[in-house]
Amino acid sequence: MKKTNKKILIIIILFFSVFFLVSRSNRGISHLKIKSYNHFPFGSNIEYNNETLIYSRKFQLHETTEDIASKNKVDSINITLPSSTWNITDLELNFTSIKLGREVKTIEDGDKVKFEELSKRTELGWGIQLNITEPTTIFGVYLYGFWAGNSPNDEILVQIQGYNSSLNIPNGTIYNSKTLNFSQIPSWNLQEFESEIQLNEGYYCLVLNGSNLENEGIEVYWRYNDQPQYKDLYRSKYDGGKWVEDGVEKVFLHKLIQRINRSYNPEEINMTVEFGGTDYNVTNGLEPYTGTLTIPNKNFSPNNEYLSLPIKNNKSIELLLNVSYYIRIQNFLFSEGNIIIKADSNNTWTLLPDINRYFYNYSVKFEYPKSWDKISILRDNGTGWANITDQIQFTNDYIIISNNTITPGAIWNITANSPNIDFTLNAPESEFGPGQDLEFSVFSPNSQGNLTFILINSLGFEEYQVIIENDPGEEVAFNYLIPTNPHGGIWKAFIFWNNETDGGFQSQSFKISSSAIPPILIGNDEEITGFIVTPQLIFIILLSAIITVSTSLTSYQIIKRYRRKIAEQRQKVFNKFMDALNLDYIIIVEKNSGINFYEQLLTTQPIDATLIAGFLQGIRSFGIELTGSEEQSHAIKLEYKNLKILMSEYKEFRIINIMKDNPSKDFHESIKTLSYDIDKSYGEYLKDFDGAINQFKGIKNLIEKHLHTSLNYPLKVAISEDIKIDSNEEELVKKALEIIKERNQDYFLASFLISSNKELNIRNIEAIFNLINKKVFIPKN
């Protein structure tokens, strides 16, 4: 290694010695610092043609608009913006008819694990008395229970019936009815009616009705508390073909999703609206149960095309209200455009803004450079270009295109001129031969910008092009090594300067000789034959040698690192796939209440509901809590009976993953990022969790994003000519179709496409992910 370092040191010393000799032999502008060149190949934002340069750039315009609208009987405020780039500057809200919205009222809860069974061999129905003390709207109920054996399908109904106070049983009058929604896991389950129920003050009965049950394999269990909060509520059961009383003090666990007719003034409940992370107080209006809120002079960006304004209060109740709003928003619109610079002419500027009117009182403001003049505004409504400059508001610094001049679907063209900025070109020599450096310098204008050098040979073809950034008033040198066999004659150098607001042009002619320079002689005037040796050629050879040596010393380590990186990436893909297939069941639990607000079964194999119920009860009973989970996600691996469980905890919730085998380390990281995304999207709901779970349905998309659970779904093939797939993906599609045909089914599983060869597996897994992303493989249902 030490010998290698010595060799490199000797080469570097030799390189700099030769470089010194070469630099001494160069003629021209040797005192200037040559700046780094930026080469722009074909397809860049520079276009040159016949002594004319077109420089493309984007222009910024400022658009503003206003909107006035109203929404009735809402519990939150959501305003749609034109796009996610718009900012809110002013907001006014006026509230009327502020009433109590939905709430979840817990009638009975408890820790005792006691259940009543509903089945063909026991009772075919159970009921619990409801005591409605004031006019109430019922939307649904929560029941705590589970099913075992066969799925109940639509044979068991949840009903609210009238009440026979003499016999303390349901009287057969059905106010609403729906099929039972239970899972195989003991938990709270939502039973939401298709339509709301208006109940007056009085007694009613909440019924689990299986009187038409025929399937002897169905077992449903409803949990009850024998030390209830309301001891005087009567139970009833369906026994021997009729309903009979079953006593008191054994109350089934249930919660009512209800709304009571109560109105509020905003200040009475400390009503606030969250905007930009700040809670703003709503003040009382002039009329009862009304309120107002004004938020002026803001510049808030929601970074979303939907502005969500949560409504809060100190009673943690959901409100139902009417709201009208005024909103003023702004956005920066970026327009395609260009500057045309050419000799003996003013510069021409063109903007092609895509102007679309949003809401009302929309306008576009464009601050133009002070050097611009002869500004014209053209508009094409589909009938040809019309000059509407006289309809536009002008000031010394900007123009405003107002709402009444903007028509849907119109095409816009803004043009202007600016003077050609002068600058000085310094060319000490005008004649050069083969192998020499063509050199000259430019004294740039007193503004920062770009100098574009274009060299045209004697045949009229572009020989070279380079762009150099300049500082204000800087002398910038241009250096070009003329080939050993150039086309002789007059060459021209065109120099264009431009920045965001101005442009300029200069040119210079050079005479290039095509004859060879005298050869270098060695020893007693012995000529080196076969080629011409120049100092520049020696420099290039030595530079190539140094690059070769340096590359050979480092290439092994680079290749080694590259191979390791590729192997790690492919292993991650493999782990991601196998972890998805390894996952059987996922449950997300709110920590304080123990309610499962999301669960998803991912296996076709039966899950032991009793084991899972026991595990969840153990968590509740022993109060398992992971230290530090308020700041970041923490996870532990557990084994309960024959279940392999990964439990992750973060802030208000736990994620419980039930798996066939222990997952990879990558799965732990996926669970951590999933926890953060759930908190970001649903953290506010969980802070004020009241048992309602409808708002958590979108968690399924987050789980798919992080855990790729669609790999467990039955899949089907959706072939489209518009979707491009490679040969490996095409082979997998053919294999999937063959599997569907062989099995005589309308679906296949991703695991069917995996072979015993791990290397082939990884390629197939990558292709499976691609086909799912391209929606060629899609879930069957």
Side-chain angles (χ1 to χ4, degrees), residues 103-129:
E103 62 175 342
V104 177
K105 182 178 181 181
T106 300
I107 306 301
E108 191 56 59
D109 197 354
D111 298 328
K112 305 292 184 181
V113 183
K114 295 185 177 181
F115 292 90
E116 294 288 7
E117 180 182 344
L118 187 156
S119 66
K120 190 74 173 173
R121 67 174 180 273
T122 57
E123 313 300 338
L124 287 176
W126 292 98
I128 188 69
Q129 181 184 9

Side-chain angles (χ1 to χ4, degrees), residues 316-456:
S316 298
I317 56 176
E318 183 180 294
L319 298 175
L320 191 69
L321 44 78
N322 302 332
V323 60
S324 60
Y325 64 83
Y326 161 81
I327 188 171
R328 180 178 173 83
I329 57 177
Q330 65 176 1
N331 183 46
F332 288 110
L333 173 66
F334 292 93
S335 166
E336 299 292 338
N338 60 57
I339 175 178
I340 300 176
I341 308 171
K342 58 184 177 180
D344 303 322
S345 174
N346 285 333
N347 304 315
T348 303
W349 297 82
T350 302
L351 283 75
L352 302 170
D354 185 12
I355 300 176
N356 295 292
R357 184 167 59 193
Y358 301 106
F359 305 144
Y360 83 100
N361 202 19
Y362 173 86
S363 64
V364 175
K365 177 181 176 181
F366 173 55
E367 297 186 22
Y368 58 85
K370 296 183 184 300
S371 59
W372 286 20
D373 61 5
K374 297 183 180 179
I375 300 175
S376 297
I377 316 294
L378 305 177
R379 182 187 66 195
D380 183 359
N381 292 335
T383 58
W385 290 106
N387 192 325
I388 61 167
T389 307
D390 57 348
Q391 302 176 34
I392 304 301
Q393 178 184 344
F394 279 81
T395 70
N396 292 331
D397 300 315
Y398 57 84
I399 60 175
I400 295 179
I401 303 175
S402 60
N403 188 73
N404 58 0
T405 61
I406 300 170
T407 54
I411 302 173
W412 294 82
N413 187 350
I414 302 175
T415 62
N417 290 342
S418 70
N420 200 310
I421 301 299
D422 190 29
F423 54 92
T424 303
L425 188 150
N426 174 30
E429 299 185 34
S430 60
E431 295 187 16
F432 297 92
Q436 290 185 327
D437 283 325
L438 187 157
E439 291 183 325
F440 61 89
S441 67
V442 168
F443 291 91
S444 60
N446 290 321
S447 297
Q448 191 168 11
N450 294 322
L451 286 161
T452 302
F453 295 91
I454 299 175
L455 191 61
I456 305 298

Side-chain angles (χ1 to χ4, degrees), residues 25 45 247 329 351 373 460 484 525 635 644 649 675 685 697 720 740 774:
S25 68
N45 61 349
I329 57 177
L351 283 75
D373 61 5
T484 57
D525 295 338
K644 293 188 184 298
E649 186 171 302
S675 298
Y685 296 115
K697 292 179 179 178
S720 171
I740 291 173
K774 293 176 180 179

Side-chain angles (χ1 to χ4, degrees), residues 550-586:
S550 300
T551 302
S552 65
L553 292 173
T554 58
S555 60
Y556 174 73
Q557 291 296 329
I558 293 173
I559 293 171
K560 186 176 179 181
R561 286 197 300 270
Y562 174 76
R563 288 177 176 173
R564 184 170 63 247
K565 183 178 179 181
I566 292 297
E568 289 173 353
Q569 290 175 344
R570 302 191 80 184
Q571 185 62 44
K572 282 181 179 292
V573 172
F574 182 78
N575 289 345
K576 182 166 60 174
F577 186 86
M578 300 310 296
D579 285 334
L581 298 185
N582 186 30
L583 184 60
D584 283 343
Y585 204 90
I586 184 166

Side-chain angles (χ1 to χ4, degrees), residues 710 713-717 740 746-748 750 772 777-780:
S710 61
Y713 303 159
L715 300 172
K716 64 179 182 180
V717 178
I740 291 173
D746 59 352
Y747 70 90
F748 70 96
I772 290 176
F777 289 169
I778 60 175
K780 174 176 172 286

